[in-house]
Amino acid sequence: EFKRLSLFKSMGVPAKLVTREYAPQLHRTMEKFGLKSDDVVNMFDFFQGAVNRETKKALIKDAHINPTYEIDPDPSMSKVYRANLLNNRVIFMGGTFGQLDTREYFDKYQNFIKAEMWDWRGFKSSVKYYDADRKVIRDEYLDVDGNVVIEASYGGEGTSQADMTFIKLVNYKGQDYFFGNIDELYTFFLNELDKSETPGQNTFIADRPLTTYKPVMNINSRSRKYIFMP
């Protein structure tokens, strides 16, 4: 996929890699491979309004911890106490100097109940809620201003995106949209992506059999669709 992207660019053909997984450190990984922000469009970035978000560092002050609480500092994970109870754990991104990764919450029985996650580019991008067995039961994905733009719930034993049983796209262009699984959301995204570029005149190449073939073929325009068979 990287080589194809390079080939198209060398021939003067505009091209992007399209990804669908939620990956708050995606743009950190892109830097390691020499990819620029304009080389990749991620589904969650698209709906979060963060495709071309500039990178800045989020530090512990951006977690807005109550200044009356006691902080036990550590380079990799600081603990926040209210009286004698653990209230939060603030986890920093590996290989950085205090850049926010995750803020975990605990109830009065010290059960892990919630986690806020920061994007590499410096904004809080999602909130995860957990049950008593520490399984994710609900996700909220945020735009760069902190508004919820996607809600998701899980069913069964799994906690991967494939196990989402309810997905709500919140107030997208003035309307709420509901999806039964991540594939339906991805198909909707590809259609919106098609409309945002040169509607009906784009080329989509599906590389991953299980996750991209059907959504790409279901793009409901005259844009070209190709399946790459490994």
Side-chain angles (χ1 to χ4, degrees), residues 142-224:
L142 315 176
D143 66 13
V144 295
D145 297 315
N147 302 305
V148 177
V149 292
I150 299 175
E151 300 174 1
S153 297
Y154 296 82
E157 296 298 320
T159 57
S160 70
Q161 288 178 353
D163 299 304
M164 291 177 175
T165 57
F166 170 88
I167 301 172
K168 177 184 176 184
L169 187 58
V170 181
N171 196 29
Y172 178 69
K173 297 182 178 180
Q175 298 291 333
D176 292 342
Y177 293 85
F178 295 85
F179 306 94
N181 55 57
I182 196 74
D183 290 333
E184 290 181 8
L185 176 63
Y186 189 51
T187 301
F188 181 84
F189 159 64
L190 292 178
N191 276 284
E192 292 301 294
L193 184 62
D194 182 51
K195 296 173 188 176
S196 72
E197 298 292 332
T198 50
Q201 302 178 43
N202 300 297
T203 298
F204 291 85
I205 302 173
D207 279 288
R208 308 300 175 94
L210 294 178
T211 58
T212 65
Y213 283 9
K214 186 175 180 180
V216 164
M217 297 310 294
N218 283 335
I219 295 172
N220 53 18
S221 78
R222 295 179 63 86
S223 285
R224 295 168 294 276

